[in-house]
Amino acid sequence: MNQRVYQESEQLITQLLDLLAEFASIQKDHAACLAENRLKNLMSWRQQREQTFRRLRQVLDQVAGLAGCDEAVRQRLLNDLGKILENEKKLAGLAGAQRDRLQGSLCVMRKGKQALKGYSVYQGGSPMPKYLSNKS
């Protein structure tokens, strides 16, 4: 019985370490995409992160319930979790930089739109709608 509990706890810890590595890989990929301005798959990123995080949280909850854990394994888990949190802060910084860049582009586009309104022949800034009459 004790051997079975030990094997189950080893499997949980191995699963947790694998999930931590997977999440770190996802973070690295997303950071590279943000740095290179490849933003076309934002929704799939979100789903991928949510699914991996949900699995990670479930395994963390199970590992937290384990009675005893080797100190070396505990230290490795803490180090891996620390790296993930550090990577999340870096990702937040990259996402903030992209948001600022996009807001700047939006501001430039709005100024251009206002400038184009000055060249319009019509008062409203856009061409008047044309109505066809059945009497013509």
Side-chain angles (χ1 to χ4, degrees):
M1 176 98 174
N2 203 7
Q3 181 68 22
R4 191 189 80 182
V5 171
Y6 179 75
Q7 286 177 345
E8 288 176 359
S9 65
E10 287 294 318
Q11 288 175 348
L12 274 176
I13 291 171
T14 302
Q15 186 180 7
L16 177 60
L17 291 171
D18 291 343
L19 282 171
L20 287 171
E22 181 182 346
F23 197 77
S25 173
I26 289 170
Q27 286 178 321
K28 185 177 180 181
D29 182 42
H30 293 174
C33 289
L34 282 170
E36 296 168 5
N37 200 20
R38 293 183 286 145
L39 306 173
K40 292 185 179 183
N41 299 325
L42 285 175
M43 292 309 290
S44 65
W45 290 2
R46 182 177 178 182
Q47 291 173 349
Q48 184 183 29
R49 286 174 60 86
E50 284 178 355
Q51 289 172 354
T52 305
F53 185 74
R54 193 176 308 116
R55 290 191 339 244
L56 182 60
R57 184 174 179 179
Q58 290 171 349
V59 174
L60 271 172
D61 287 342
Q62 292 173 353
V63 169
L66 294 177
C69 190
D70 189 339
E71 185 61 34
V73 172
R74 182 175 298 153
Q75 193 60 41
R76 180 176 175 192
L77 289 173
L78 287 174
N79 287 340
D80 288 354
L81 285 171
K83 288 177 186 176
I84 284 179
L85 290 174
E86 185 178 312
N87 289 340
E88 282 297 308
K89 290 178 184 176
K90 290 178 184 177
L91 275 173
L94 287 171
Q98 282 293 338
R99 183 185 61 238
D100 293 344
R101 185 189 65 77
L102 290 173
Q103 284 178 341
S105 297
L106 185 60
C107 183
V108 168
M109 288 189 311
R110 285 182 182 145
K111 286 181 182 179
K113 186 177 177 182
Q114 291 295 325
L116 287 176
K117 281 184 180 180
Y119 291 105
S120 178
V121 178
Y122 303 102
Q123 287 283 349
S126 62
M128 299 290 278
K130 296 179 181 177
Y131 298 102
L132 296 177
S133 171
N134 60 358
K135 294 181 183 179
S136 54

